[in-house]
Amino acid sequence: MAEFSFDVVSEFDSAELTNALDQARREVQTRFDFRDTGTVFDLQDQMILIESASEDRAKAALQVLREKGARRQLSPKLFKADDPKSVGRGRGQIQVHLNAGINDDLARDLRKRIQNVSPKLQVRIQGDQLRVVSKDKDTLQQVIKTLREAEDIPVPLQFTNYR
């Protein structure tokens, strides 16, 4: 009998992130409430630095970034923002970490959740992804549904290589 499988990964499209940042910059430049705030989005490796005239304007800029990301199919879980802080001359700054990747602890937690769906499933942890194997397509569909509905998973999940 044939076996079916898929991979669980947590990644994002960097081109879509760049597009979302560009759109957020454009909107901030044209909106009246951001006039003369000097709002800046700075992408640095796995972090986005948002700086504006005040903490409230920085929070509003973060909201603009989340909206633009959502339109480009980037999960809200991707943007993990620190608390806003004041930097020189009362300017506000927020560090937004790009929250992607499956670490070892999360991989073990996901394995337990998947095994709870059906103990017959085979789950292999392969670096930063999980391979789920079953003889039944319906069981795999149930696993995907269960993981999509789980609100407490801290990273956005994608399901790839469905065979």
Side-chain angles (χ1 to χ4, degrees):
M1 187 172 194
E3 285 192 337
F4 304 100
S5 67
F6 68 89
D7 294 336
V8 180
V9 297
S10 177
E11 53 192 26
F12 62 93
D13 187 353
S14 59
E16 292 296 344
L17 177 66
T18 303
N19 290 339
L21 277 168
D22 289 343
Q23 288 178 349
R25 284 186 190 110
R26 252 183 267 126
E27 180 164 330
V28 164
Q29 287 173 352
T30 58
R31 274 181 41 179
F32 180 76
D33 56 336
F34 283 104
R35 184 165 293 158
D36 298 328
T37 60
T39 303
V40 178
F41 295 93
D42 186 21
L43 177 62
Q44 307 166 344
D45 196 31
Q46 290 291 311
M47 185 181 74
I48 301 169
L49 191 66
I50 301 174
E51 190 172 319
S52 192
S54 68
E55 289 183 21
D56 288 338
R57 290 291 89 205
K59 285 181 190 175
L62 173 62
Q63 186 60 37
V64 169
L65 176 62
R66 283 188 172 141
E67 289 171 4
K68 297 303 177 187
R71 288 190 183 153
R72 308 225 44 106
Q73 276 72 46
L74 294 173
S75 171
K77 291 181 182 181
L78 177 65
F79 304 108
K80 184 179 178 193
D82 291 345
D83 291 331
K85 58 185 177 187
S86 290
V87 292
R89 295 189 186 136
R91 289 183 63 79
Q93 188 179 65
I94 299 177
Q95 290 183 349
V96 182
H97 301 278
L98 298 176
N99 191 22
I102 299 176
N103 60 25
D104 292 339
D105 294 336
L106 181 59
R108 284 192 288 275
D109 178 50
L110 291 174
R111 174 190 262 171
K112 285 180 189 173
R113 290 173 192 245
I114 293 168
Q115 291 291 331
N116 287 341
V117 172
S118 173
K120 293 181 179 180
L121 288 168
Q122 296 176 11
V123 183
R124 290 188 293 262
I125 299 173
Q126 301 172 334
D128 60 348
Q129 70 181 21
L130 279 82
R131 166 82 36 99
V132 182
V133 181
S134 174
K135 293 182 178 178
D136 182 24
K137 283 184 182 180
D138 294 337
T139 309
L140 292 180
Q141 293 290 338
Q142 186 63 36
V143 168
I144 292 173
K145 181 177 182 243
T146 302
L147 292 178
R148 279 204 174 121
E149 290 174 352
E151 294 291 326
D152 58 337
I153 297 174
V155 296
L157 296 177
Q158 292 85 32
F159 307 99
T160 60
N161 293 335
Y162 192 87
R163 299 183 185 125

